[in-house]
Amino acid sequence: LVLAPSREVVFQHANLARGLLGIAPKNKHVLEVTTAITGDEEQLETVALEIMEAKVIVATPRELALVFEHEPPLYGNLPERISALIVDEVDQLIPSRKYKGDKVTRWQDLGRYPAEAIIKLIARRGDLHQVLAG
């Protein structure tokens, strides 16, 4: 799982992952989760199914949290499948000031950023082998 602060950075990382893995551009083994694909409920269901099949997930935290909130089984199953977590531009994803936005999910602690909620979920439920932050 790669968490990135913006759609542009998500697409850059996804393209890099495809290049490193030798995967074709539209292959669903590398999946981007951004505002571009989490528009309505039907799209959220499709994204949830694609996430379970993907080998590499590159996402903005808010949109990944929306998918988790919409598909509770994903919330329970995905963290166990994640063996590595990469948090890019951690200073943008988890700034030092307190989060003042709306909660994205019911399991997001008040005053915490969506990235913090996802990292906490994965750390508690998953079997992480590597965590990289930059």
Side-chain angles (χ1 to χ4, degrees):
L1 173 63
V2 180
L3 296 178
S6 68
R7 181 193 304 187
E8 294 78 23
V9 178
V10 165
F11 289 125
Q12 287 173 9
H13 287 309
N15 287 332
L16 178 63
R18 284 188 185 95
L20 290 171
L21 298 171
I23 295 174
K26 292 297 179 190
N27 187 304
K28 291 298 181 184
H29 285 304
V30 177
L31 179 68
E32 304 99 340
V33 180
T34 68
T35 52
I37 61 169
T38 57
D40 60 23
E41 284 197 28
E42 189 174 300
Q43 285 177 303
L44 286 171
E45 290 172 17
T46 302
V47 171
L49 292 172
E50 290 174 350
I51 283 175
M52 289 308 290
E53 296 173 8
K55 304 285 185 220
V56 178
I57 302 161
V58 188
T60 53
R62 187 178 197 302
E63 282 65 38
L64 185 58
L66 285 172
V67 176
F68 279 174
E69 186 69 12
H70 184 73
E71 291 291 323
L74 185 65
Y75 169 86
N77 296 328
L78 183 65
E80 297 168 0
R81 292 185 48 230
I82 295 172
S83 60
L85 173 63
I86 299 170
V87 183
D88 188 29
E89 300 187 29
V90 72
D91 59 326
Q92 289 183 23
L93 291 175
I94 309 173
S96 59
R97 66 188 180 284
K98 205 169 187 182
Y99 180 70
K100 298 197 188 299
D102 293 334
K103 286 176 60 171
V104 178
T105 68
R106 60 180 135 11
W107 44 269
Q108 178 184 349
D109 296 333
L110 195 60
R112 301 285 181 186
Y113 287 85
E116 290 176 285
I118 290 173
I119 292 166
K120 183 177 173 182
L121 169 70
I122 292 167
R124 281 189 176 168
R125 293 182 168 220
D127 186 21
L128 286 176
H129 299 288
Q130 284 188 313
V131 178
L132 303 170

